[in-house]
Amino acid sequence: MALIKLEKVSKIYGEYSHVIKALDEVDLEIEKGTIVTIMGPSGSGKSTLLNILGAMDIPSSGKVFVDGIDISVLPERSLSTYRKETIGFIFQNYYLLPNVDLIGNVLSPLIPYRIKESDRERAKKLLEEVGLGNRLRSKVRKLSGGESQRVAIARSLINNPKILLADEPTGNLDSETGKSIVELLFKFAENGKTIIIVTHDARIAKVANDHKLGRNIWIKDGKLNDDPTYDLFCW
């Protein structure tokens, strides 16, 4: 059984004559331990799809199954638990706390809960895994863009989620730094995480296409296409 399965998922904004169909009866299956890139022009529905997978938004129609559970009908308390335990988020702009050290930032998703010593040890281990083991007490404001994104990746893993959702994770980085971030994400996929990346960067799609765990999905006008020759440059 696929880890993620979407059945006829649509998302509609507006009403009457001003209706925008961000997703149009999307069917999609994603297996555990794969790394998927979602590419498409601005306004194609990429971020809407990511938000629905992360339970930050709900579909107008259709079903979204994760581990066999239809999350599109869960009450808010259950969705909150789903976001905490199943999903890790990685953002283009990092959203780190500038005056807090690296360990504090990695632990920030646990602030509403009781932070245990085992959580602090896990935060240290994650920072070591992303290559920042020697910067544990550094403040975020002293980091480069690539280092900040590595902290954000470590933060996304603090609850040991099954799925990582990355929204333009290399968008603010130079080419070499972006490459290292992509390689890091692929390493976590090889260790069993399911990773979904929304990106405009065709280089990431190429890396995914060439990798045994990788897959490209192209989206245009709310519709998906698995064909890598899909012409994104046509209106």
Side-chain angles (χ1 to χ4, degrees), residues 48-208:
T48 300
L49 178 57
L50 207 67
N51 288 339
I52 284 176
L53 292 174
M56 305 300 290
D57 203 351
I58 59 173
S60 302
S61 60
K63 298 181 178 181
V64 181
F65 294 95
V66 179
D67 250 356
I69 297 172
D70 184 1
I71 67 169
S72 59
V73 297
L74 291 179
E76 179 54 38
R77 177 172 292 185
S78 298
L79 287 177
S80 179
T81 300
Y82 166 78
R83 288 189 290 265
K84 173 180 177 288
E85 297 180 354
T86 305
I87 299 294
F89 294 94
I90 305 169
F91 304 100
Q92 177 178 351
N93 293 321
Y94 323 134
Y95 296 119
L96 301 177
L97 304 173
N99 295 315
V100 177
D101 63 22
L102 272 58
I103 290 179
N105 269 279
V106 173
L107 289 169
S108 61
L110 302 179
I111 288 175
Y113 313 96
R114 182 172 175 268
I115 297 175
K116 304 182 290 294
E117 185 58 33
S118 59
D119 296 324
R120 296 184 186 279
E121 290 303 314
R122 176 166 172 76
K124 292 177 184 178
K125 183 179 178 182
L126 287 169
L127 286 166
E128 290 169 358
E129 285 189 52
V130 301
L132 292 171
N134 62 339
R135 303 289 301 277
L136 301 180
R137 295 301 177 184
S138 294
K139 296 295 193 293
V140 166
R141 65 176 184 272
K142 296 182 178 180
L143 301 182
S144 67
E147 289 170 332
S148 295
Q149 191 59 289
R150 287 173 182 271
V151 176
I153 292 171
R155 179 188 59 194
S156 75
L157 292 163
I158 190 63
N159 284 322
N160 196 26
K162 295 179 181 179
I163 303 166
L164 292 184
L165 302 178
D167 192 359
E168 299 285 359
T170 63
N172 289 335
L173 306 176
D174 62 82
S175 296
E176 192 60 33
T177 304
K179 179 182 177 183
S180 69
I181 293 298
V182 171
E183 290 171 347
L184 184 61
L185 291 174
F186 271 83
K187 183 188 80 170
F188 285 114
E190 290 166 356
N191 289 333
K193 299 297 181 187
T194 302
I195 300 179
I196 303 170
I197 304 174
V198 161
T199 182
H200 282 94
D201 194 337
R203 296 170 297 184
I204 300 178
K206 183 180 186 305
V207 173

Side-chain angles (χ1 to χ4, degrees), residues 3-41:
L3 176 62
I4 298 169
K5 184 176 182 181
L6 276 63
E7 295 181 350
K8 302 296 181 186
V9 170
S10 293
K11 182 63 181 181
I12 298 172
Y13 296 101
E15 57 184 357
Y16 307 120
S17 61
H18 299 287
V19 169
I20 297 174
K21 189 172 283 190
L23 294 178
D24 189 359
E25 296 194 344
V26 169
D27 291 318
L28 175 64
E29 291 190 11
I30 297 176
E31 301 296 327
K32 178 183 177 182
T34 55
I35 186 161
V36 177
T37 63
I38 301 174
M39 293 192 66

